[in-house]
Amino acid sequence: MKFKPANKIQDLQYFGEFGGVNPSISDSSTYTFLSAKTMFDTFEGNADGCYLYSRHTSPSNLYLGEALAEMEGTETANVAGSGMGAITPVLMQLCGAGDHIVSSRTIYGGTYAFLKNFTPKLNINTTFVDITKLDVVENAITENTKVLYCESVSNPLLEVADIRGLAALAKKYNLKLVVDNTFSPLSIAPAQLGADVVVHSLTKFINGSSDTVGGVVCGTQQFIDDLRNVNDGACMLLGSTMDSLRASSILKNMRTLHIRMKQHSKNAMYLAQKFEADGLKTVYPGLISHPSHELFSSMMNEEYGYGGMLTIDVGSLDKANELMELMQNKNLGYLAVSLGFYKTLFSAPGSSTSSEIPEDEQADMGLTDGLIRFSIGLDNDIERTYEMMKSCMQQVGVLKEESFV
Ligand SMILES: *Cc1c(COP(=O)(O)O)cnc(C)c1O
């Protein structure tokens, strides 16, 4: 049977202490113990089901973590205060001084900056590669390599990683494959394809209301226990903990994720096809013209579509800015970074979210000035949205006015 992530989320039941349909929020940072012995055992990691202190874990964070683990099909998960608060402990848990990482070169700007500028101070070095070329990835592996790192669908170029192929390489060289699945929740389930660890920024589609930051690490019970270990666990010691109130609100939003993802995907597919037909340089994994369209199709849970992210290239930063300002004035969306909101969001990655990447490297990876990244919203009438966007594009000269035949 095919993996059905939304059913798995839906089948979870946690009642409140008075039979509430939502679990009670654990509004405490610390927990009492009936006996001193149990407290000792808990510190030693030998008292399952006992809560210790909320940086370690709390009931609300566990509920959210379990829902996310069900979504990804992993044994368990640990939530964190932000996406970066999930990604950085994973890499620091898996690597020590002298170790090496092979990473996709098209990744979230913050992750790129962490690997490029921060981890070298700890003598952890990274080789950035074109992740779509498995032979290039394999050639970059050294005897010190511990981790292969990529995003299922990359930011902002929407390159697609061959997770099955990367998992086979990881297995061959005894590495851990860590996949950031922020752009494609439900559509792609990396652990089902062989990834060892799956991370998300919950800030984006999963929470979906642009009112918080959050992150999660999904993996084996052993790895999550290691991250939470009071003596040497990176999540526990680096302290990027999510607040319980926030965990409970994200859990509630997550219950509508499947409906939202279907609508994001449907709207993005509609616009991508129209933009492409109009002659705009459009990148969307759902388009047959996308170099990894087949690959995405072979990995996806079909009912959720190809996701809500698309890019167009309008030729120059000036044109991109002019178009984005006009679309915002027409209330078609907001000129803002981030993604997964009910409203369409757009930004020019070269000068914003990917500005950590030096200009020559941007050019090398095909990240051009005129690129606009769209996170397509939940618009009910996407035809109307398209007509209005098209008229904006004509007004700024990105599209030609239609001539009468
Ligand atoms: C936003 C984002 C992150 C970082 O998440 P935060 O919640 O902002 O810390 C990591 N990876 C991807 C792909 C993202 O889009």
Side-chain angles (χ1 to χ4, degrees), residues 4-7 10 183-187 205 254-271 284 300-309 340 376-380 382:
K4 297 275 190 190
N7 294 2
Q10 181 187 301
F183 274 34
S184 45
L186 297 175
S187 292
F205 289 106
M254 209 185 143
R255 292 172 177 157
T256 56
L257 179 63
H258 59 299
I259 300 169
R260 290 187 278 114
M261 285 317 297
K262 286 176 193 174
Q263 187 74 8
H264 284 299
S265 291
K266 182 174 152 232
N267 286 351
M269 183 68 130
Y270 182 90
L271 291 178
Y284 182 65
M300 77 195 291
N301 296 304
E302 272 156 41
E303 55 194 309
Y304 309 107
Y306 293 88
M309 303 301 294
I376 303 300
L378 300 173
D379 309 28
N380 186 51
I382 196 65

Side-chain angles (χ1 to χ4, degrees), residues 82-85 87 108 111 151 155 180 182-183 201-204 213-214 339:
S82 70
M84 288 308 292
I87 294 164
Y108 178 69
T111 314
E151 296 173 2
N155 179 41
D180 179 339
T182 301
F183 274 34
S201 167
L202 304 179
T203 315
K204 315 296 169 54
V213 286
L339 39 132

Side-chain angles (χ1 to χ4, degrees), residues 153 158 160 283-288 290 292-294 296-297 306 309:
V153 179
L158 311 182
V160 179
V283 175
Y284 182 65
L287 293 175
I288 294 169
H290 190 288
S292 302
H293 174 70
E294 298 286 315
F296 194 120
S297 306
Y306 293 88
M309 303 301 294

Side-chain angles (χ1 to χ4, degrees), residues 326-368:
L326 183 60
M327 287 192 298
Q328 175 158 265
N329 285 338
K330 301 279 182 200
N331 197 21
L332 287 166
Y334 301 136
L335 173 46
V337 297
S338 199
L339 39 132
F341 199 35
Y342 83 98
K343 194 93 175 178
T344 293
L345 302 178
F346 32 76
S347 57
S351 56
S352 60
T353 48
S354 296
S355 56
E356 291 92 340
I357 304 172
E359 267 168 41
D360 55 324
E361 287 176 48
Q362 289 193 17
D364 198 41
M365 60 180 71
L367 212 170
T368 49

